[in-house]
Amino acid sequence: MDIIVKKFGGTSVQDDEARLHALRHVKDAVSKGFKVAVVVSAIGRQGAPYATDSLLSLVGGKDTLLDKRELDMLVSTGEILSTGVFTELLKQHDIKAIGMTGPDAGIKTNNEYQNAKVLDVDTRSILDAFADNDVVVVAGFQGLSQEGRITTLGRGGSDTSAALLAAALRAKYCDIFTDVSGMMTGDPRVIKHARFLNEISYDEVANMAHEGAKVIHPRAVEVAQQAHIPMRIRSTWDDVDKLGTVISQNGIKHPVIGVTHQLGLTQFRVPTEHSDKVLSLLADHDISVDFININSEAVVFNLTGKASERAKSLFTAHEVDFSFTDDCAKVSIVGSGMMDTPGVVATLVTALSQKDIDILQTSDGFSTIWALVTGSQFAKAVNALHDAFILNQTV
């Protein structure tokens, strides 16, 4: 039995028109003899009646009195509703289908409500269902806790649900359907000359996702990589024969394959003698530090909006000497081959300096180099980097 997993995001199931486009892709797979596990997100995005943020707004949003377990009980209904609607559509078109919640599908998690970790996927119920059905529709983003209660997997959890099911079912492919045709070398809304990528490695797409690309959740890529499951990022609105971007171990590796960005960061600077106290304070209050540099004079790090406001309050209350710069942006270049390519850092610095862009901070890893710039300069920065590294490169 050959199985394919197809995940449809919120925009892919947001209305009748979108769901009919999603239906075409499922029917095509069934017609080719595949059994299909479909994972669906909640219907629509913020503002839509059944989207996750809309459900949260019913109980006061961030001011809710519900605890995390109760919040999971609430927001999990978005995916369950979507599962019922899509299963009905399949049956209307004479496709043998059955709908399941995450717990029904055997997704078992720990007890960390709102951000549960999957411990096991028991595929027996899905495999049994395939005996009489061609399609099993599964509510993404959710599982069953060790306490026997419904949990959710955190933002991007439906991508993770799809990858975990693909791994457990030993699927031929895991298709992630969205409203774009695949991965690009940068965000086309910002980067003028962004180019489409036919193929990319697991490591590269995971790093692009970690550094701001919104097409797929990095945890899903990591799961697929560990299980050696090829993934494809595809558009629900494209023809069924357009396969989008293929992600695999054999993906083409370039010195730089993409440019990404993250907005809304605050850069903090604390004297080195206070570093132990500061880092302990942040850890004790579950504030995760990003993009950190330590030298003999200061420890410099970045936090996102909400975390930065909490940190400011903490440092003030504990009489920590600190300074900060709001409205920063992290721009990154990503590529598995950059470690073997001389001159990458020099090219980055030159590209930004030639556009009179101030570099506030830099850091690098095995396949990523970061630079912090002011938020007002981020668009100019990502275009400068894309032109320098990718515009004349064959991808």
Side-chain angles (χ1 to χ4, degrees), residues 1 3 35-37 126-136 169:
M1 178 169 55
I3 298 171
K35 298 290 187 177
V36 185
I126 294 178
L127 294 174
D128 287 347
F130 277 144
D132 299 311
N133 297 276
D134 292 316
V135 181
V136 176
L169 293 166

Side-chain angles (χ1 to χ4, degrees), residues 42-91:
I43 293 174
R45 289 182 178 169
Q46 187 170 3
Y50 308 111
T52 301
D53 288 322
S54 300
L55 294 172
L56 288 170
S57 71
L58 295 174
V59 294
K62 66 179 181 180
D63 297 321
T64 182
L65 299 178
L66 298 183
D67 63 25
K68 290 184 177 181
R69 181 192 65 79
E70 292 163 334
L71 283 171
D72 274 359
M73 177 182 67
L74 170 70
V75 298
S76 65
T77 61
E79 278 71 19
I80 293 172
L81 187 150
S82 185
T83 297
V85 171
F86 198 72
T87 303
E88 169 73 10
L89 178 65
L90 293 171
K91 292 183 176 184

Side-chain angles (χ1 to χ4, degrees), residues 6-20:
K6 294 183 180 292
K7 180 261 178 178
F8 295 100
T11 56
S12 296
V13 292
Q14 65 186 355
D15 53 30
D16 289 340
E17 180 185 1
R19 289 189 287 271
L20 286 172

Side-chain angles (χ1 to χ4, degrees), residues 3-9 12-13 21-32 34-41 86 130 135-138 140 158-159 161-163 165-166 169 171 173-178 232 234 236 240-243:
I3 298 171
I4 290 180
V5 174
K6 294 183 180 292
K7 180 261 178 178
F8 295 100
S12 296
V13 292
H21 281 285
L23 172 70
R24 291 183 302 116
H25 293 284
V26 177
K27 289 180 71 173
D28 178 68
V30 171
S31 71
K32 293 174 179 174
F34 290 103
K35 298 290 187 177
V36 185
V38 172
V39 176
V40 291
S41 297
F86 198 72
F130 277 144
V135 181
V136 176
V137 184
V138 178
S158 290
D159 286 353
S161 297
L165 284 173
L169 293 166
Y173 279 98
C174 179
D175 286 338
I176 305 294
F177 284 93
T178 181
R232 301 183 293 200
R234 307 173 63 183
T236 306
V240 295
D241 58 349
K242 289 190 176 182
L243 302 182

Side-chain angles (χ1 to χ4, degrees), residues 35-261:
K35 298 290 187 177
V36 185
V38 172
V39 176
V40 291
S41 297
I43 293 174
R45 289 182 178 169
Q46 187 170 3
Y50 308 111
T52 301
D53 288 322
S54 300
L55 294 172
L56 288 170
S57 71
L58 295 174
V59 294
K62 66 179 181 180
D63 297 321
T64 182
L65 299 178
L66 298 183
D67 63 25
K68 290 184 177 181
R69 181 192 65 79
E70 292 163 334
L71 283 171
D72 274 359
M73 177 182 67
L74 170 70
V75 298
S76 65
T77 61
E79 278 71 19
I80 293 172
L81 187 150
S82 185
T83 297
V85 171
F86 198 72
T87 303
E88 169 73 10
L89 178 65
L90 293 171
K91 292 183 176 184
Q92 288 174 350
H93 286 80
D94 299 321
I95 295 175
K96 295 179 180 179
I98 184 173
M100 295 184 179
T101 65
D104 290 339
I107 297 176
K108 301 176 181 179
T109 77
N110 63 8
N111 299 326
E112 190 179 345
Y113 298 101
Q114 291 280 284
N115 193 32
K117 305 298 185 294
V118 175
L119 304 176
D120 183 43
V121 180
D122 185 344
T123 60
R124 285 177 295 179
S125 59
I126 294 178
L127 294 174
D128 287 347
F130 277 144
D132 299 311
N133 297 276
D134 292 316
V135 181
V136 176
V137 184
V138 178
F141 177 60
Q142 60 185 244
L144 189 70
S145 74
Q146 295 161 300
E147 298 173 340
R149 297 188 174 100
I150 199 160
T151 56
T152 63
L153 310 184
R155 294 291 179 168
S158 290
D159 286 353
T160 305
S161 297
L164 287 164
L165 284 173
L169 293 166
R170 298 181 181 179
K172 294 292 184 182
Y173 279 98
C174 179
D175 286 338
I176 305 294
F177 284 93
T178 181
D179 51 4
V180 295
S181 295
M183 290 292 297
M184 299 190 75
T185 54
D187 186 340
R189 296 168 298 181
V190 181
I191 296 177
K192 297 175 183 177
H193 304 296
R195 301 167 65 182
F196 180 78
L197 292 164
N198 291 306
E199 192 174 6
I200 189 171
S201 71
Y202 291 115
D203 288 337
E204 287 168 334
V205 75
N207 278 315
M208 288 182 71
H210 274 298
E211 300 308 326
K214 304 295 185 183
V215 177
I216 189 170
H217 196 275
R219 176 60 183 147
V221 182
E222 291 161 4
V223 169
Q225 181 175 17
Q226 291 166 6
H228 304 289
I229 301 293
M231 302 188 86
R232 301 183 293 200
I233 300 175
R234 307 173 63 183
S235 171
T236 306
W237 285 264
D238 282 348
D239 292 337
V240 295
D241 58 349
K242 289 190 176 182
L243 302 182
T245 300
V246 178
I247 308 168
S248 70
Q249 197 63 53
N250 299 320
I252 299 171
K253 296 183 179 182
H254 289 88
V256 176
I257 200 167
V259 177
T260 64
H261 63 273

Side-chain angles (χ1 to χ4, degrees), residues 243-307:
L243 302 182
T245 300
V246 178
I247 308 168
S248 70
Q249 197 63 53
N250 299 320
I252 299 171
K253 296 183 179 182
H254 289 88
V256 176
I257 200 167
V259 177
T260 64
H261 63 273
Q262 293 182 36
L263 302 177
L265 299 176
T266 296
Q267 183 192 57
F268 287 82
R269 182 178 293 272
V270 177
T272 302
E273 59 266 27
H274 293 169
S275 61
D276 289 346
K277 179 179 181 180
V278 164
L279 295 176
S280 295
L281 271 175
L282 294 172
D284 290 344
H285 289 82
D286 295 321
I287 299 175
S288 180
V289 172
D290 182 35
F291 199 7
I292 184 169
N293 298 111
I294 301 175
N295 58 45
S296 59
E297 296 181 355
V299 54
V300 184
F301 57 89
N302 293 271
L303 296 171
T304 56
K306 292 181 180 179

